[in-house]
Amino acid sequence: MKNGPGRSGLIMDEPLLWEKGKKGRNGMSIPESDVPAAALADELCGEGPDFPDLSEVEVVRHYTRLSQWNFGVDTGMYPLGSCTMKYNPKINEKHAGAEEITSAHPLLDDEYCQGTLRIIYELQNFLAEITGLDAVSVQPAAGAHGELAGMLIFDAYHQNKGKKRSKILMPDTAHGTNPASAALCGYKPVPIKSGERGILDVEQIRELMDEETAGIMITNPNTLGLFEENIREIAEIVHEKGGLVYGDGANMNAIMGIVDLKKCGVDVLHLNLHKTFSTPHGGGGPGAGPVCVVEELKKFLPSPRVDFDGSTYKQVEDTASIGRMHGFHGNYGVLVRAFCYILTMGAEYLEKASQYAVLNASYVKVKLKDHLHLAYDRPCMHEAVFSDKNQQENNVSTLDIAKRLMDCGYHPPTIYFPLVVPGAIMIEPTETESLEELDTFIEVVKKIVKEAETDPDLLHNSPSRFKVKRLDETQAARNPCLCG
Ligand SMILES: *Cc1c(COP(=O)(O)O)cnc(C)c1O
């Protein structure tokens, strides 16, 4: 097995600053004072705060080591399925951090912020063109927030037609945020079981769709990494009964510039700019989840949006808008990153990015399918879903495999999701990994699969090379120990 660089670095124990250093140590040296000391006022005397005494190098090493406890896509491959952890080009950061952008005040009148409004306007147009839909609002701050906007639009549409609806069709492969967003709008999710081929079965939709049902939420490609081939037929059934089709666009990285979602019958779609359009994410930082809609639903979009009359960019409110989803225009810095990414890629390379994302996932799928159980042995899109089925006889689980991958220098893939595959291991390599990087990853997974047979305890006791070992994850989330 190739031993990639940086996959087994020093793992440094780092105490608190208070536990380091020695009394009297100092980070600077200044000349002795040549004036007599004056007595301080009484109230300023006494014990000061208990700051530790440290030298400069101790402080520098402390913070540098803490920064190395983190793992990001700049550290190594991060194959977290459904999350599209692609590399984020630094030029996007440069532009998002430009002073013209960061110093623009959101309360400026339109005439004083034509440039920043133009970026929003052009981004709205790019996103409309990429998805095939007609109008866009960039306000929502995340995918889940875009879903909520979408469900509010569904509700506004049905109320506008004079009849509130109470249910929504929800595939069992849906991301957990889908039923949550629908429920927040008062809809009762009606579960749909995936068919044998891992995609939606038209007959089931035909049976369940009725005039009490507001519509359906579909992720395409779905969270099994499979393309919903019947989406047009499903959309027709839903439309016939007066319902709407919501597209969860989190997996857009597989189909950018290739699939026209309006032609698929989608009425409302959210995008995750932080996933598909390259913004650092995963640490809970800001995101953006624009909603894109067909012409008929434009009037319901969150406000304000930006319009252009041929000479001036203007903030506008749509007539029946669901209102604001966020202050001002959402997370503007993320919008600038996406705008910059789209401009630097151009239509041709956005399409190529999707093709390479699918190629990379297919490569991993084919190379690993004799080693890990493949849930659905069919052509995959941008991610492949395996499981621990073959390892169960050795009492090795998906969690053990994920933890062992950490010891080998990788962020684990998404595990135990989607729920329809017991013990799921969902690998999304993304287009930004090279063939050599993929080959090294594949070798590492094969090695772990062997270890599961020959030395299962090694996996049970992973990770072993980290400061913290196997955690009780519930306790770690509920009662985090933050003291290092
Ligand atoms: C990530 C994701 C979401 C939610 O997006 P956030 O930006 O994390 O709120 C919804 N659906 C799918 C399929 C996703 O992968």
Side-chain angles (χ1 to χ4, degrees):
M1 187 201 81
K2 271 198 274 177
N3 221 350
R7 300 204 189 290
S8 54
L10 300 168
I11 291 142
M12 289 172 271
D13 230 352
E14 186 60 17
L16 296 178
L17 282 178
W18 273 264
E19 293 158 12
K20 290 181 79 157
K22 274 224 161 80
K23 218 55 206 155
R25 219 164 256 178
N26 210 328
M28 61 191 169
S29 118
I30 49 173
E32 293 253 335
S33 169
D34 57 1
V35 293
L40 278 175
D42 277 353
E43 60 269 25
L44 292 176
C45 291
E47 290 288 299
D50 173 31
F51 285 132
D53 294 11
L54 298 146
S55 66
E56 179 172 324
V57 67
E58 283 170 325
V59 175
V60 167
R61 284 188 182 154
H62 178 73
Y63 287 107
T64 307
R65 286 175 180 178
L66 291 189
S67 77
Q68 290 170 342
W69 285 0
N70 209 347
F71 188 95
V73 72
D74 289 356
T75 323
M77 187 172 161
Y78 200 145
L80 192 65
S82 211
C83 296
T84 312
M85 306 305 283
K86 62 169 80 177
Y87 172 70
N88 311 293
K90 298 296 170 255
I91 188 150
N92 304 347
E93 294 305 313
K94 183 165 181 277
H95 289 297
E99 206 192 336
E100 294 85 341
I101 301 285
T102 55
S103 63
H105 197 285
L107 286 174
L108 281 177
D109 281 342
D110 291 355
E111 61 178 306
Y112 300 117
C113 55
Q114 287 292 294
T116 46
L117 292 180
R118 179 176 169 190
I119 289 176
I120 296 177
Y121 178 77
E122 293 194 359
L123 181 63
Q124 288 171 182
N125 287 351
F126 285 153
L127 299 179
E129 191 174 337
I130 291 167
T131 57
L133 289 155
D134 301 313
V136 178
S137 166
V138 295
Q139 271 214 344
H145 205 201
E147 292 167 23
L148 178 60
M151 290 300 100
L152 289 168
I153 292 172
F154 268 39
D155 194 46
Y157 169 83
H158 286 299
Q159 295 223 38
N160 202 257
K161 291 248 167 214
K163 187 168 174 280
K164 220 175 143 53
R165 296 192 174 195
S166 60
K167 297 183 288 182
I168 190 136
L169 302 183
M170 194 67 64
D172 57 5
T173 48
H175 193 263
T177 50
N178 286 194
S181 304
L184 268 179
C185 291
Y187 289 126
K188 184 172 170 290
V190 177
I192 309 176
K193 274 178 88 70
S194 311
E196 259 168 36
R197 297 170 65 234
I199 58 171
L200 291 171
D201 163 36
V202 179
E203 288 320 308
Q204 219 187 124
I205 312 271
R206 205 187 301 280
E207 247 167 60
L208 291 170
M209 184 64 206
D210 59 23
E211 290 183 1
E212 271 304 305
T213 304
I216 186 168
M217 290 183 98
I218 302 187
T219 309
N220 202 11
N222 68 20
T223 63
L224 292 166
L226 304 175
F227 193 81
E228 291 289 355
E229 293 162 13
N230 305 321
I231 187 163
R232 285 173 77 161
E233 217 179 328
I234 291 169
E236 264 169 38
I237 296 169
V238 171
H239 288 151
E240 259 167 35
K241 299 272 169 160
L244 295 174
V245 177
Y246 184 87
D248 177 332
N251 291 341
M252 195 71 190
N253 209 45
I255 55 173
M256 274 187 296
I258 298 165
V259 174
D260 179 324
L261 288 144
K262 188 162 113 178
K263 286 196 182 141
C264 290
V266 170
D267 302 295
V268 186
L269 175 99
H270 84 255
L271 294 168
N272 300 60
L273 296 190
H274 43 291
K275 293 178 182 173
T276 315
F277 298 94
S278 161
T279 274
H281 62 291
V291 261
C292 317
V293 296
V294 290
E295 189 64 37
E296 195 185 353
L297 301 175
K298 182 177 168 193
K299 61 183 177 192
F300 301 118
L301 278 173
S303 302
R305 294 188 312 107
V306 177
D307 231 339
F308 182 55
D309 64 9
S311 68
T312 338
Y313 297 92
K314 282 198 189 82
Q315 304 188 51
V316 293
E317 192 123 341
D318 293 294
T319 49
S321 170
I322 57 166
R324 282 177 182 270
M325 296 295 294
H326 195 284
F328 308 107
H329 290 283
N331 286 323
Y332 191 71
V334 179
L335 307 181
V336 176
R337 287 175 180 89
F339 180 66
C340 181
Y341 179 71
I342 292 170
L343 279 180
T344 49
M345 296 289 277
E348 184 187 345
Y349 285 92
L350 286 178
E351 187 180 331
K352 277 218 165 87
S354 282
Q355 289 168 340
Y356 282 125
V358 173
L359 180 64
N360 279 0
S362 307
Y363 184 74
V364 170
K365 185 198 81 170
V366 169
K367 291 278 182 178
L368 285 181
K369 73 175 189 177
D370 294 333
H371 304 271
L372 285 173
H373 179 260
L374 182 63
Y376 293 87
D377 195 357
R378 299 189 44 214
C380 72
M381 299 295 285
H382 63 305
E383 59 200 4
V385 180
F386 300 92
S387 82
D388 58 4
K389 204 168 172 183
N390 298 346
Q391 281 66 46
Q392 279 167 4
E393 56 179 335
N394 295 309
N395 198 23
V396 164
S397 70
T398 289
L399 187 68
D400 298 327
I401 296 169
K403 297 293 186 189
R404 180 72 184 127
L405 267 169
M406 291 167 69
D407 265 347
C408 299
Y410 290 97
H411 192 287
T414 293
I415 55 173
Y416 300 105
F417 178 78
L419 306 176
V420 292
V421 177
I425 304 172
M426 182 198 227
I427 300 176
E428 179 180 8
T430 82
E431 72 280 12
T432 56
E433 297 305 324
S434 66
L435 182 59
E436 298 79 61
E437 195 63 54
L438 294 180
D439 280 337
T440 311
F441 174 74
I442 289 162
E443 286 307 312
V444 168
V445 176
K446 285 190 198 168
K447 182 191 77 157
I448 294 174
V449 167
K450 272 227 172 68
E451 288 168 352
E453 287 168 22
T454 56
D455 190 1
D457 275 348
L458 177 68
L459 276 78
H460 298 145
N461 296 323
S462 297
S464 62
R465 306 167 79 180
F466 281 73
K467 196 175 145 45
V468 286
K469 310 287 187 271
R470 187 73 70 103
L471 292 173
D472 174 335
E473 295 187 349
T474 313
Q475 282 299 319
R478 292 281 175 273
N479 301 306
C481 164
L482 304 175
C483 67

